[in-house]
Amino acid sequence: MSDEDDLDDFDPDQDDLEREDDEKDTEDWEDYRKEGDEYSEEWMPTPLTEDMAKEGLSLLCKTGNGLAHAYVKLEVKERDLTDISLLRSYIHLRYVDVSENHLTDLSPLNHLTHLLWLKADANRLRSARLSELPYLQIASFAYNQITDTEGISHPRLGSLDLKGNRIRLVTGLDPQNLISLHTLELRGNQLESTLGINLPKLKNLYLAQNLLKKVEGLENLSNLTTLHLRDNHIETLNGFSGEMKSLQYLNLRGNMVADLGELAKLRDLPKLRALVLLDNPCADETDYRQEALVQMAHLERLDKDFYEEEERVEANEIRQRLKEDQEQEVDPEHDMESDHPSSL
C-alpha cells in the first residue's frame, strides 16, 4: 500500500475543525461545572427510580438463548441523580447514558456485564474505576473531577474519553489489558507529563490544553496516526522517533517552540503529512514554511495551507545544497587533493 493510499481516509482539515469546536465545548462545560460547584451543597439525594428507568429504556432485543427479550438501552440524562443502585438488576443493558447528573459512584454498573457503550459525562466522579467489563467498547467520563486513570482494564475498550478532568499523571493503563484501545482523549486536564501512555495499539491521542512542557514516553507508539498537543507549554521537539512510523497528523498549535532548528527532530517521522505550528514563536520567522519543508520532504500541509509544487522544487534545491555542503565539510582533504594533484 502506498503512502497516498494511507491518506485516503485522513482529513486533517476536518480534524482541526472538529477539535476547535470541541474546545468551545470545553469552555461551555467548564462554566457548567463551576455553576455546579456553587450549588453542590443544595443538591438533594435523588436515586434512580423504576419510573425514571422505564421512561428512559428503549431498544428491545433478544437476550440469552434468543427466546427472551429485554430493553438494552437506557438514557437518564439531566435528572439530578445521585444514586443509580437500581441498575444492579438491569443486567441486560448494553448502552447506558447517565450524563449530566450528580453521580459520585458508578459501582452499580459493575453488574452490567453485557455493557457495550457507557457515557457518564458531567457528573461528580472522582474516578473512572470499574470492574473489568468484557464487552465494553466505548466509555466517556468527560467533564468530571477524575484525578487518575487507575482501574480501567476493559479488554475490548476501543475509545476512552477523559477530557475536562483533573488528571495530572497517567498511570495504570496496562497495554496487556487494554489490548483494543485505539483512541484516548485527555484534553483539558492538568497533565504535566506524557509518560504512562505506553499503549502500542493506540491510533489517536488527544492531549491538548494541558500543562505539558515536553513529549516523552511515546516513542514506541508505532500505530499512532494522530497526535494532538495544542495549547501546552512545549518548547522543544524531543521525544519523537522513527518508531512512530504511522504518525500522519501532528498538532502543536499554541505552544512555545521558538527555534526553527527544532523541526529537524521531526524528519524521522516517515508518514508525517500534516503539521500545525500556528501560534508558536517560530511561525513568525520569514522562512518558516520553507524550513519546515526542507526538513520534512514528505510534508503535505503546514497549518491551514497545502504546499505548492514550486515550494517543493525550491525546498529540494536547498536540501541538495545543504547535502553538498555537509559532504565537503566531512571530507575537506579530498577537496584539497582535487585542487592540488600530486605529480608522479
Side-chain angles (χ1 to χ4, degrees):
M1 180 179 289
S2 68
D3 290 346
E4 289 74 19
D5 290 334
D6 289 337
L7 284 168
D8 283 345
D9 296 325
F10 179 64
D11 187 349
D13 287 307
Q14 182 64 27
D15 178 271
D16 223 22
L17 181 61
E18 291 174 356
R19 290 293 138 192
E20 287 171 4
D21 289 343
D22 282 351
E23 282 153 17
K24 183 180 182 303
D25 290 343
T26 299
E27 296 174 1
D28 293 342
W29 279 114
E30 285 297 330
D31 292 340
Y32 170 88
R33 189 162 62 185
K34 288 175 182 176
E35 291 176 7
D37 287 340
E38 293 175 7
Y39 300 106
S40 60
E41 293 187 4
E42 298 179 14
W43 293 337
M44 297 295 292
T46 307
L48 178 65
T49 65
E50 291 281 1
D51 288 340
M52 287 183 192
K54 288 177 181 178
E55 185 180 341
L57 286 170
S58 62
L59 195 58
L60 188 64
C61 293
K62 293 180 180 179
T63 62
N65 58 11
L67 299 177
H69 292 75
Y71 288 104
V72 299
K73 183 176 181 180
L74 176 69
E75 180 181 304
V76 283
K77 297 170 58 176
E78 296 184 88
R79 301 297 187 93
D80 293 331
L81 295 176
T82 59
D83 185 350
I84 55 172
S85 297
L86 180 69
L87 293 186
R88 294 173 184 270
S89 60
Y90 284 67
I91 59 173
H92 297 297
L93 286 176
R94 301 174 193 172
Y95 310 93
V96 171
D97 188 347
V98 291
S99 299
E100 299 175 57
N101 285 293
H102 307 315
L103 299 174
T104 59
D105 178 24
L106 294 181
S107 61
L109 301 181
N110 291 332
H111 297 264
L112 308 186
T113 55
H114 296 283
L115 198 61
L116 301 174
W117 182 91
L118 171 61
K119 191 169 184 179
D121 299 346
N123 278 284
R124 307 290 292 176
L125 301 174
R126 295 186 179 277
S127 173
R129 182 184 296 272
L130 286 168
S131 298
E132 184 176 303
L133 296 170
Y135 302 110
L136 186 63
Q137 297 176 28
I138 298 174
S140 183
F141 306 95
Y143 312 116
N144 279 279
Q145 299 175 11
I146 295 170
T147 57
D148 62 61
T149 54
E150 296 286 339
I152 302 172
S153 59
H154 317 293
R156 297 192 184 184
L157 187 63
S159 177
L160 175 61
D161 190 340
L162 288 163
K163 66 174 169 280
N165 279 286
R166 301 175 181 179
I167 300 167
R168 292 185 178 276
L169 186 65
V170 176
T171 58
L173 298 185
D174 188 346
Q176 301 300 316
N177 292 326
L178 296 169
I179 56 177
S180 303
L181 193 64
H182 57 74
T183 299
L184 178 58
E185 170 65 90
L186 284 163
R187 184 161 38 90
N189 277 276
Q190 299 170 15
L191 289 175
E192 299 176 352
S193 172
T194 56
L195 291 172
I197 310 177
N198 183 26
L199 299 162
K201 297 291 182 68
L202 206 60
K203 292 184 178 181
N204 307 295
L205 179 57
Y206 300 105
L207 299 171
Q209 297 174 305
N210 278 285
L211 304 174
L212 301 173
K213 295 182 178 180
K214 60 182 178 179
V215 175
E216 54 186 337
L218 306 182
E219 297 90 346
N220 296 321
L221 300 186
S222 60
N223 289 298
L224 194 67
T225 62
T226 299
L227 178 56
H228 207 278
L229 291 160
R230 179 174 177 168
D231 295 335
N232 279 283
H233 307 293
I234 297 170
E235 297 182 6
T236 68
L237 298 182
N238 298 323
F240 295 92
S241 78
E243 293 298 312
M244 302 171 78
K245 57 186 180 181
S246 301
L247 188 60
Q248 299 180 42
Y249 175 64
L250 175 60
N251 192 326
L252 286 157
R253 182 173 184 170
N255 278 277
M256 301 172 67
V257 180
D259 185 359
L260 282 175
E262 291 294 314
L263 298 180
K265 298 173 182 178
L266 303 179
R267 64 170 57 148
D268 292 332
L269 300 173
K271 290 191 177 180
L272 187 63
R273 296 292 181 269
L275 175 64
V276 183
L277 276 169
L278 289 168
D279 302 326
N280 278 266
C282 67
D284 296 328
E285 298 293 329
T286 55
D287 54 350
Y288 161 58
R289 280 185 61 82
Q290 183 185 79
E291 180 65 20
L293 192 57
V294 168
Q295 297 294 349
M296 294 163 282
H298 296 297
L299 201 61
E300 295 183 359
R301 194 200 81 178
L302 181 64
D303 302 329
K304 301 296 182 183
D305 299 315
F306 284 84
Y307 279 104
E308 302 293 339
E309 183 58 32
E310 53 266 30
E311 291 179 291
R312 295 192 173 282
V313 171
E314 185 177 359
N316 285 336
E317 292 173 352
I318 295 173
R319 203 178 298 112
Q320 184 62 33
R321 288 200 300 270
L322 290 172
K323 182 180 178 182
E324 292 172 357
D325 292 345
Q326 289 174 352
E327 289 174 349
Q328 290 181 359
E329 290 176 2
V330 169
D331 195 5
E333 293 184 2
H334 175 75
D335 294 337
M336 293 177 61
E337 290 175 0
S338 299
D339 294 338
H340 305 286
S342 59
S343 58
L344 296 175

